[in-house]
Amino acid sequence: MSAKLGKRSWVFPVLLVFLGILASSLYIYFFELTDPRGNVGTTVEEIEEKPLLKLPLDYVGSTRCGECHKPAFEAWRNSHHDLAMQEANETSVLGDFNNASLKHYGVTSRFFLKDGRYTIQTDGPDGTLQDFEVVYTFGAVPLQQYIVAFPNGRYQIPTLAWDTRPEENGGQRWFHLQPDEVITSDDPLHWTRGFYNWNHSCAECHSTDVTKNYDAANQSFNTQWSEIDVGCEACHGPGTRHVAWAEQEPAPSLDTKPAEMELVVLFDERKESAWTIDPQTGNAVLSGRSKTRDVEIDTCAPCHSRRAQMVEGFRPGENLMQTHVPSLISGDLYFDDGQIREEVFVYASFLQSKMYAKGVTCADCHDAHALTLRAPGSQVCSQCHQAEKYQTVEHHHHPLESTGADCVECHMPATTYMEVDPRHDHSIRIPRPDLTQTIGTPNACNLCHADKTAEWSSDYITQWYPEPLPGFQNFAEALSAARSGNPAAGSLLVDVLTSPEESAMARAAALSELGPYLYPSTFIYVQEATRDRSALVRLGALRALVPLDPARRISVAGPLLNDPVLAVRTEAANLLSDAPANQIPAVFVPAYQKAMAEYEASQKLHLDRPDRQMNLGLLYAGRGDFEAAESAYRQAIALEPGLVRSTINLADLYRTLDREDEGKALLTDFLARQPEQTEANYALGLLLVREKQLPEALPYLEKASRNAATPHYSYVYGVALYSAGKTGEATEFLEARLMDFPGNQELLSALISFLEEQGEADRARAYAKQFIEFWPTDPVTPALRERFGIAD
């Protein structure tokens, strides 16, 4: 069952449509795209004059690159990139396969040699113990995983890993990546299922020039690569033309190399630039570096970010959003202040940092070939921050050489993933224990002083710095308010959008949270954001429009169907996919058709994934192709029966087609397997309400309200209780939930209505006053004032 956020019912002026059309026609003047390789936009005449451009772009292999670029090649050898994936042999396999074993929740896995081949015996797809041959190794430090072959070209990665750290550091042991969870073979997180499928989830970033080659008809893969590991061309692009240029006779001069021969990506952002420390501030100032493009960061980002792939085949040097859709700093991945929560791989963290805003790139701190820091420990920070000022007790207030004196420990605290792999937070921030007190975000002080309170840490910060600085990121309160349903969220989010200090990543996140707070006073900022120079901000603006009716989205999202960045175009297409075709203005139709085709192609790239099949189902249902929608949903369910959303959407489709009984059977079958699943309980409860089986619906709605963090499910259960004649129980329940969600509109509205209907005018009036206090500008507020005689 598709869930939609609440809508606001104001009428947008006709002028808005005109402005949208005008914006579309003038769009090209707002944005510029440049291809860092000099290929896109090359004319036929230029190609004729530069014959090497006629050569096909292909991969030559790192060894070939090393013939001329020996220092870089030697630094790369045995780096994390070089060891990203290897064939399993005596040299590459680091784990103990001498009849070692590991017991995890009743399953004893064994690691041994069988006919000279590395073998893992563990629970297979049906839950029974089976032998699996290791064909490739995955990574090397601080852990190593192993890849086993399945039928039809599928490769899976067991959740059993070898800890490669020294024994004295707790290593040299087998361990389970989910040690505290029982993961059975029917669980979506079991190692034999899609989440641990190498072809989709891992291959793109651990090898070079990967093509997945999934055949949906046969449910088989023929995944290929040009190089098994992350080689030179994974970052610099295919080298055939570059090699052809280098092998010309007579040998070309490096000093006169024409620009068109830079057909591998050259990371020249650091060229002729320098960081010079200002003695007055102790901080470095950048000179000589252009920030018109992010070639280096965008090349690292496809593998060092949480993102969704849109186009097969990574294209080094291109804008990340031409091939991938990056995740924003959403509440499931990040804390409200932008600190890392889940494993997010650096990119979105770094883009919200002051370092990025000042011009720092990855290679300022990291050696791109050896993948080591440019200097050990805090010395890497001293490249730009004067040690005499910052590596002092006066600055950090900890004993020298202690953990607290380490720049990274305070400004880039680590979170350990995969049990043994600490990842540093690249948002590079000032510790804020005061935010821990107010909104519950973590802080570096209490990560070390875990036995102390946040108040204790805040007191010390204030002693050391009587006027403590808030830091560069100042969006925490706004995101926290939005995610908790605080009525003040709208104005706080606008403050983030209008702050000249905030990063594009922060503004995009604020926009993505603005949907429930779209009023005329906030909507103008969404319109403005659709014309922002940052593609991230334009992406966020589109996500703010989700709660609106499809027809209302068109005038604002329509111009972005012609956006120069693929991720924005496809987001606009998806947003408008359920808009009636006859409501698309003629001026937008060509761009709409093209963007829609691009969006559909991006989803079909991953037909092996249930989420992509579900997206296709939504797309087809939106355009009225119900047969195709049903097929896509069924394929999604077949790929992963344990994921609820596909089942709910198919049941919702059946409701649309007057096939409610089939939807009920689907939901009943799902709940027989997962009886506590919140969304399925809610969907089946609503279905029974529609069938006027209210007593039967209540247990499902009650379970949904009990398990869910969202107040909407509680509102629906409260209404159902009241409708069933359990009026006292309904008001008591809603009052209790209002304590958890103060100011929630739905809960307050229901209580006002129910109490007034029961003749409890004083209690109803008290909740009406609460509503007015929390929502003074809401369209309902004037009517409440009049109804209950509440003065301004």
Side-chain angles (χ1 to χ4, degrees):
M1 181 172 297
S2 299
K4 297 222 176 182
L5 298 173
K7 303 179 181 68
R8 293 283 164 188
S9 55
W10 61 84
V11 178
F12 297 110
V14 175
L15 177 62
L16 194 58
V17 177
F18 170 75
L19 290 175
I21 296 171
L22 179 62
S24 178
S25 62
L26 295 177
Y27 200 79
I28 192 169
Y29 293 105
F30 285 100
F31 307 104
E32 293 178 8
L33 279 187
T34 57
D35 174 39
R37 295 168 298 177
N39 288 333
V40 175
T42 306
T43 66
V44 174
E45 291 77 12
E46 287 173 321
I47 292 176
E48 290 302 324
E49 293 173 5
K50 303 164 186 174
L52 287 178
L53 288 174
K54 296 179 181 178
L55 294 176
L57 277 172
D58 207 348
Y59 289 76
V60 299
S62 296
T63 302
R64 190 71 181 277
C65 302
E67 293 173 5
C68 293
H69 302 281
K70 289 183 174 61
F73 180 76
E74 290 302 321
W76 166 81
R77 289 185 66 186
N78 294 317
S79 69
H80 283 232
H81 280 173
D82 183 24
L83 304 179
M85 182 169 166
Q86 304 172 83
E87 293 183 2
N89 55 46
E90 291 181 0
T91 303
S92 64
V93 173
L94 304 177
D96 178 6
F97 280 82
N98 188 26
N99 291 316
S101 65
L102 177 69
K103 188 171 184 179
H104 178 259
Y105 284 105
V107 176
T108 300
S109 301
R110 295 177 54 239
F111 311 87
F112 54 93
L113 289 171
K114 181 179 181 181
D115 300 327
R117 297 174 178 175
Y118 297 95
T119 304
I120 298 175
Q121 184 183 81
T122 192
D123 56 328
D126 61 356
T128 64
L129 289 178
Q130 299 176 33
D131 292 350
F132 299 94
E133 180 190 345
V134 173
V135 288
Y136 300 107
T137 66
F138 223 46
V141 176
L143 71 155
Q144 187 173 69
Q145 292 179 269
Y146 301 93
I147 302 175
V148 302
F150 269 44
N152 299 324
R154 183 184 300 273
Y155 291 87
Q156 298 291 131
I157 302 184
T159 46
L160 307 164
W162 177 254
D163 185 342
T164 64
R165 299 174 302 167
E167 189 173 358
E168 57 268 27
N169 294 339
Q172 300 302 296
R173 64 188 177 95
W174 289 102
F175 68 99
H176 199 286
L177 291 173
Q178 297 154 323
D180 302 321
E181 296 182 72
V182 180
I183 309 293
T184 55
S185 60
D186 59 349
D187 192 304
L189 293 181
H190 193 259
W191 76 270
T192 59
R193 312 295 280 262
F195 189 80
Y196 287 97
N197 171 245
W198 167 85
N199 308 74
H200 172 84
S201 299
C202 315
E204 183 192 12
C205 288
H206 278 255
S207 299
T208 302
D209 183 32
V210 173
T211 51
K212 184 163 62 173
N213 294 329
Y214 177 70
D215 182 344
N218 299 313
Q219 295 188 334
S220 64
F221 294 91
N222 182 28
T223 305
Q224 303 289 321
W225 62 68
S226 65
E227 203 163 359
I228 192 173
D229 53 12
V230 182
C232 306
E233 292 162 295
C235 301
H236 292 280
T240 46
R241 295 178 183 175
H242 180 76
V243 169
W245 167 81
E247 292 180 343
Q248 293 178 103
E249 294 293 344
S253 167
L254 293 179
D255 296 330
T256 60
K257 181 168 61 174
E260 67 266 25
M261 286 304 98
E262 294 179 358
L263 294 173
V264 286
V265 176
L266 301 181
F267 301 103
D268 57 359
E269 291 169 288
R270 297 168 53 82
K271 186 178 180 181
E272 297 178 359
S273 67
W275 289 98
T276 305
I277 293 183
D278 180 347
Q280 297 298 316
T281 64
N283 297 323
V285 178
L286 178 64
S287 62
R289 183 182 300 176
S290 168
K291 279 298 292 180
T292 58
R293 11 170 228 160
D294 276 335
V295 176
E296 183 184 297
I297 291 170
D298 279 340
T299 298
C300 300
C303 293
H304 294 275
S305 67
R306 286 287 286 261
R307 77 290 179 279
Q309 185 187 23
M310 296 183 293
V311 176
E312 193 161 60
F314 172 47
R315 301 167 185 176
E318 279 197 351
N319 183 320
L320 169 69
M321 294 177 68
Q322 296 288 23
T323 54
H324 298 77
V325 183
S327 296
L328 304 180
I329 44 179
S330 56
D332 58 329
L333 299 177
Y334 297 83
F335 290 101
D336 293 337
D337 63 348
Q339 291 188 78
I340 57 177
R341 184 194 296 269
E342 296 298 322
E343 194 173 11
V344 290
F345 309 110
V346 175
Y347 173 75
S349 298
F350 186 58
L351 258 62
Q352 47 169 302
S353 73
K354 188 174 184 177
M355 303 302 105
Y356 172 74
K358 292 293 184 181
V360 174
T361 67
C362 310
D364 281 313
C365 301
H366 301 272
D367 184 305
H369 297 113
L371 304 180
T372 55
L373 289 174
R374 290 195 171 273
S378 293
Q379 292 178 40
V380 74
C381 306
S382 299
Q383 295 179 113
C384 292
H385 302 284
Q386 196 172 53
E388 290 79 6
K389 177 175 180 178
Y390 290 102
Q391 291 185 24
T392 64
V393 173
E394 290 73 23
H395 175 69
H396 51 64
H397 298 275
H398 288 76
L400 294 175
E401 308 302 325
S402 70
T403 300
D406 187 332
C407 310
V408 170
E409 292 297 327
C410 287
H411 297 289
M412 300 177 66
T415 301
T416 298
Y417 301 100
M418 304 181 80
E419 296 302 307
V420 299
D421 192 3
R423 310 280 178 84
H424 287 284
D425 191 324
H426 279 62
S427 57
I428 314 174
R429 61 183 61 239
I430 291 174
R432 293 286 304 273
D434 59 309
L435 290 180
T436 306
Q437 292 177 271
T438 56
I439 62 174
T441 52
N443 72 85
C445 305
N446 289 107
L447 291 177
C448 282
H449 300 281
D451 60 331
K452 305 297 184 183
T453 65
E455 183 180 10
W456 176 89
S457 299
S458 290
D459 288 344
Y460 269 102
I461 294 286
T462 305
Q463 289 176 36
W464 297 336
Y465 300 97
E467 296 181 3
L469 297 173
F472 183 71
Q473 300 95 339
N474 287 293
F475 50 79
E477 288 91 346
L479 296 189
S480 176
R483 292 165 184 172
S484 63
N486 188 319
S491 61
L492 291 173
L493 292 169
V494 167
D495 289 343
V496 174
L497 296 178
T498 55
S499 170
E501 296 292 320
E502 289 296 355
S503 65
M505 180 59 75
R507 289 185 288 132
L511 284 160
S512 69
E513 301 284 353
L514 193 58
Y517 309 95
L518 279 184
Y519 315 117
S521 60
T522 58
F523 187 74
I524 57 174
Y525 297 99
V526 179
Q527 292 174 284
E528 221 173 277
T530 63
R531 299 184 291 274
D532 197 275
R533 290 192 67 87
S534 167
L536 274 173
V537 173
R538 303 197 296 276
L539 183 75
L542 288 168
R543 293 181 181 176
L545 300 173
V546 169
L548 299 183
D549 290 328
R552 292 179 179 171
R553 302 173 194 153
I554 294 170
S555 60
V556 184
L560 295 183
L561 292 165
N562 202 34
D563 196 278
V565 175
L566 179 61
V568 179
R569 291 198 302 274
T570 55
E571 188 82 17
N574 183 33
L575 185 69
L576 299 177
S577 61
D578 56 348
N582 60 2
Q583 292 185 14
I584 305 292
V587 70
F588 294 146
V589 168
Y592 173 79
Q593 293 174 339
K594 179 176 181 292
M596 192 62 71
E598 290 174 321
Y599 173 74
E600 186 172 356
S602 74
Q603 302 308 303
K604 286 184 173 179
L605 179 63
H606 302 293
L607 292 175
D608 58 310
R609 306 299 295 174
D611 55 326
R612 300 303 182 97
Q613 290 281 9
M614 188 186 73
N615 290 344
L616 287 168
L618 289 168
L619 176 64
Y620 299 145
R623 64 171 61 153
D625 189 346
F626 300 124
E627 184 177 346
E630 180 179 3
S631 175
Y633 288 145
R634 287 210 166 275
Q635 289 182 65
I637 294 169
L639 286 166
E640 188 44 79
L643 296 179
V644 68
R645 180 49 55 186
S646 306
T647 296
I648 289 176
N649 282 345
L650 181 54
D652 198 40
L653 178 68
Y654 286 151
R655 177 181 63 82
T656 303
L657 300 175
D658 293 324
R659 295 161 60 184
E660 193 87 278
D661 286 348
E662 292 178 66
K664 183 192 289 188
L666 270 176
L667 293 168
T668 302
D669 178 65
F670 186 94
L671 285 169
R673 290 178 280 115
Q674 295 190 44
E676 299 303 313
Q677 213 292 324
T678 297
E679 291 177 274
N681 274 293
Y682 179 70
L684 184 53
L686 285 187
L687 187 151
L688 292 168
V689 169
R690 290 194 297 272
E691 291 186 340
K692 303 188 186 312
Q693 300 181 48
L694 195 54
E696 292 81 1
L698 286 176
Y700 295 105
L701 295 177
E702 189 275 331
K703 191 173 286 189
S705 73
R706 184 176 70 231
N707 294 351
T710 172
H712 178 70
Y713 293 165
S714 296
Y715 162 76
V716 171
Y717 177 55
V719 171
L721 281 172
Y722 193 85
S723 301
K726 301 182 178 185
T727 56
E729 190 177 338
T731 53
E732 184 179 340
F733 172 78
L734 290 171
E735 286 177 322
R737 291 304 278 160
L738 191 62
M739 297 289 289
D740 298 324
F741 300 96
N744 180 266
Q745 287 180 293
E746 288 186 317
L747 299 177
L748 282 169
S749 296
L751 280 168
I752 294 166
S753 176
F754 295 167
L755 290 169
E756 190 177 22
E757 195 172 291
Q758 293 175 70
E760 297 194 46
D762 289 342
R763 289 176 66 193
R765 189 174 189 275
Y767 284 117
K769 289 178 72 174
Q770 280 191 41
F771 189 104
I772 293 167
E773 180 184 347
F774 277 103
W775 303 96
T777 61
D778 191 275
V780 173
T781 293
L784 286 177
R785 288 188 184 280
E786 182 178 351
R787 196 159 99 216
F788 289 97
I790 301 172
D792 289 347

